[in-house]
Amino acid sequence: MAEVSGRDAATTTVDGLARLLAGRRRITVLGTPGGGKSTLARALAARLDLACHHVDDHFWQAGWRPAGADELAARIAALAAGERWLIEGNHVATVADRARRADAVVILDVAWPVSLTRISRRSLAARCGRPTLLPDRVRGEREPWRARLLVCRAAVRFRRRTLPDLLDILDRQLAVGVPVLHLRRSVARQRASAVLTEAR
């Protein structure tokens, strides 16, 4: 993938991103845990009239039990077989199937201190009666410390470990010319520095 330099990146709103992605039917959203992927995914899906799916809704089972890797991959592959979707979430084992079908990719790349702050706020909000911030199957359940630790550790490791793996998968699986939008700031302020890249 050839990446445009940061100095050439366009700063845009979520509405601007939606205009940039207009006509795309299958979009995968990846990025730093706690960085705002779900917020961005819901906003883009609404503007583009796409079904929005969150990988975490299929990963976390009742009682905060994680799904097995094969089970999760099969569920996400079934979603990716559809014609119109926006699927958000990392879980590296699920990315190849999405990448093969995607006609656009968005990567939300947020510094881990920002992500950890958002994760803490999200956990506090859930404890204060806002369970809709949690995955479907565990809404209303108390978030265990091990689940929060898993997300925090993934946020800290994202740029150094996970992002290179994701970029490698995209390079191998995306069709030629599929755009990859690498967003460098949090969407909390509804603004992002968009770096347009192309596969191969």
Side-chain angles (χ1 to χ4, degrees), residues 1 27-38 40-41 44 53 55 76 85-99 102 104-110 158 162-171 174 179-185 187:
M1 288 183 288
I27 300 170
T28 192
V29 176
L30 309 167
T32 315
K37 295 189 305 299
S38 296
L40 178 62
L44 286 177
H53 305 285
V55 177
I76 303 306
W85 46 258
L86 188 152
I87 302 176
E88 170 271 320
N90 296 330
H91 297 282
V92 174
T94 73
V95 174
D97 286 315
R98 285 183 276 161
V105 177
V106 177
I107 301 174
L108 189 56
D109 184 356
V110 177
F158 178 76
T162 307
L163 183 57
D165 290 341
L166 295 176
L167 293 175
D168 181 62
I169 293 170
L170 295 177
D171 192 48
L174 284 177
V180 177
L181 288 167
H182 199 151
L183 309 180
R184 302 286 188 179
R185 296 182 193 168
V187 295

Side-chain angles (χ1 to χ4, degrees), residues 67-149:
D70 291 343
E71 178 185 4
L72 179 64
R75 290 179 180 179
I76 303 306
L79 294 176
E83 287 304 313
R84 292 181 57 83
W85 46 258
L86 188 152
I87 302 176
E88 170 271 320
N90 296 330
H91 297 282
V92 174
T94 73
V95 174
D97 286 315
R98 285 183 276 161
R100 281 191 289 270
R101 296 274 295 146
D103 55 18
V105 177
V106 177
I107 301 174
L108 189 56
D109 184 356
V110 177
W112 66 261
V114 176
S115 293
L116 293 186
T117 299
R118 290 175 59 95
I119 291 166
S120 298
R121 288 176 179 169
R122 182 173 65 191
S123 297
L124 180 60
R127 287 173 178 267
C128 293
R130 295 175 59 192
T132 55
L133 295 171
L134 298 176
D136 280 347
R137 291 180 175 84
V138 294
R139 286 178 187 169
E141 297 184 17
R142 186 182 181 90
E143 184 183 17
W145 66 267
R146 60 180 173 78
R148 197 176 317 122
L149 179 61

Side-chain angles (χ1 to χ4, degrees), residues 2-10 184 193-197:
E3 186 170 315
V4 177
S5 71
R7 270 181 291 183
D8 296 328
R184 302 286 188 179
S193 175
V195 179
L196 180 62
T197 66

Side-chain angles (χ1 to χ4, degrees), residues 22-68:
R24 304 290 176 177
R25 298 180 301 159
R26 295 180 295 276
I27 300 170
T28 192
V29 176
L30 309 167
T32 315
K37 295 189 305 299
S38 296
T39 301
L40 178 62
R42 284 191 294 267
L44 286 177
R47 287 162 173 78
L48 298 172
D49 193 27
L50 297 173
C52 186
H53 305 285
H54 305 281
V55 177
D56 272 351
D57 286 343
H58 299 271
F59 177 71
W60 291 113
Q61 309 300 294
W64 287 94
R65 290 183 305 100

